[in-house]
Amino acid sequence: MRADRVFAYGAAAGLLGDLLLGDPRRGHPVAAFGRAAGAVERVLWRDHRGWGALHTLVCAGSAVALGAVADTCVRRSPAVSVVLTSAATWAVVGGSSLVREARGIGRALEAGDVEAARERLPHLCGRDPQALDADGIARAVVESVAENTSDAVVGALVWGAVGGVPGLVGFRAVNTLDAMVGHRSPRHLRFGWASARLDDLAGWPGARLTAVLAAVAGDDPRAAVRAWRADARKHPSPNAGPVEASFAGALGVRLGGTLSYGGRVEHRPVLNGAAGRAVGAEDIERAARLSRRVGLLALGVTVAARAVAAAVNARAKGRTS
């Protein structure tokens, strides 16, 4: 079986597994990787970029190497290769958990239980929940849904199409390292620099594809493109900017503004400010549905791109033989 078909069948089965089963309650491979990366950090930590780069190389490199070894071991069996790709996709994609947490917060807000929404918010993002009112929580949820659609679904599929199982696990490893050490805390300002920059690089193609698909799948494609072009560059993150701006335009809401992380207040530019309205609790469900549509479209695009690349490569080999 050709590699593009292995990816197509495996990625589709893995995405279906995520949709039907969600994340495992115990023994999640990403959590195991996080514990291992934390142990390596305790050994290597120095307040220095070079030691942080070594930490990134050891952790992300080990994940890619493990994926490559597993892929090589099963390559002679197409059926087992599909199973491995499916398992890897299911393990690294987090679309169902994202939507489940978002909807849980949305239900709490719609019931008027702001305290319950505050209690659940840390499961979705790192904002300070006590600093947010109901509208602020809703905005934080929509922003997190947008950004994590790229990080937890589309980016993984892009790198799976490029590199198979090693690409899938490598992307999730880099993304996890960024969440662990890539933030600007005093401990990780220098140590986490390499992880943050590598995550920016790895997330670049997935973020742009997410922004395009949000425009295609959203209620107002023109508004999504307009907000992306006008406001994406204002965001401090090179990847969150296009995604959040496109989601804001597609949903007809305003994102960005003042937020608080770990007691640190940031004043970010408003995205889609001229045409959008304030985010309400009802927009959480709309964002969740848009995230689902984007994920399914991303599967189709990456499978098609992998098939086209395989066909072009086969034709090129036929001309040289």
Side-chain angles (χ1 to χ4, degrees):
M1 186 184 299
R2 291 183 347 202
D4 60 308
R5 293 179 181 174
V6 169
F7 172 73
Y9 299 150
L15 210 62
L16 180 62
D18 177 66
L19 179 65
L20 297 178
L21 304 175
D23 291 332
R25 296 293 184 183
R26 297 180 180 179
H28 197 297
V30 176
F33 172 81
R35 290 191 295 270
V40 175
E41 179 188 350
R42 288 191 291 273
V43 174
L44 295 180
W45 186 87
R46 306 288 190 280
D47 191 17
H48 191 276
R49 285 185 176 183
W51 285 93
L54 179 61
H55 174 258
T56 303
L57 177 63
V58 169
C59 296
S62 297
V64 172
L66 182 62
V69 168
D71 191 41
T72 301
C73 289
V74 303
R75 189 165 295 170
R76 293 185 178 181
S77 172
V80 180
S81 294
V82 169
V83 171
L84 177 64
T85 303
S86 173
T89 303
W90 174 63
V92 305
V93 166
S96 288
S97 295
L98 172 65
V99 169
R100 182 181 66 246
E101 293 298 335
R103 284 174 169 165
I105 297 171
R107 286 192 296 269
L109 290 176
E110 289 174 354
D113 194 345
V114 178
E115 284 304 316
R118 287 193 178 112
E119 289 179 6
R120 295 197 66 158
L121 186 62
H123 296 286
L124 187 66
C125 65
R127 307 284 175 88
D128 293 333
Q130 298 306 319
L132 299 173
D133 59 9
D135 289 345
I137 293 172
R139 176 167 62 86
V141 171
V142 172
E143 289 173 357
S144 295
V145 168
E147 185 173 359
N148 285 296
T149 298
S150 176
D151 288 343
V153 183
V154 181
L157 292 174
V158 167
W159 283 102
V162 171
V165 171
L168 286 164
V169 299
F171 176 79
R172 176 55 59 220
V174 169
N175 194 247
T176 302
L177 287 173
D178 178 62
M180 293 177 65
V181 304
H183 42 82
R184 293 180 175 274
S185 66
R187 176 179 173 85
H188 295 128
L189 183 61
R190 281 181 280 271
F191 185 82
W193 178 86
S195 289
R197 298 292 77 75
L198 183 59
D199 182 68
D200 287 343
L201 182 63
W204 196 96
R208 273 72 194 167
L209 179 58
T210 303
V212 170
L213 297 180
V216 171
D219 297 335
D220 193 339
R222 290 184 178 180
V225 173
R226 185 164 57 246
W228 177 9
R229 294 181 62 184
D231 298 331
R233 290 188 298 272
K234 301 175 183 177
H235 199 287
S237 168
N239 295 330
V243 173
E244 290 185 19
S246 185
F247 262 71
L251 297 171
V253 299
R254 295 191 303 270
L255 299 179
T258 302
L259 51 85
S260 176
Y261 283 103
R264 185 181 74 255
V265 176
E266 295 184 16
H267 301 282
R268 293 183 178 176
V270 175
L271 308 177
N272 198 39
R277 55 174 174 78
V279 180
E282 68 280 2
D283 294 310
I284 293 176
E285 177 61 27
R286 296 176 63 225
R289 290 178 180 176
L290 179 57
S291 176
R292 286 291 198 199
R293 294 195 295 271
V294 168
L296 291 174
L297 286 173
L299 175 65
V301 169
T302 53
V303 165
R306 183 72 186 257
V308 169
V312 170
N313 187 48
R315 185 172 298 178
K317 287 184 177 179
R319 289 175 179 173
T320 58
S321 60

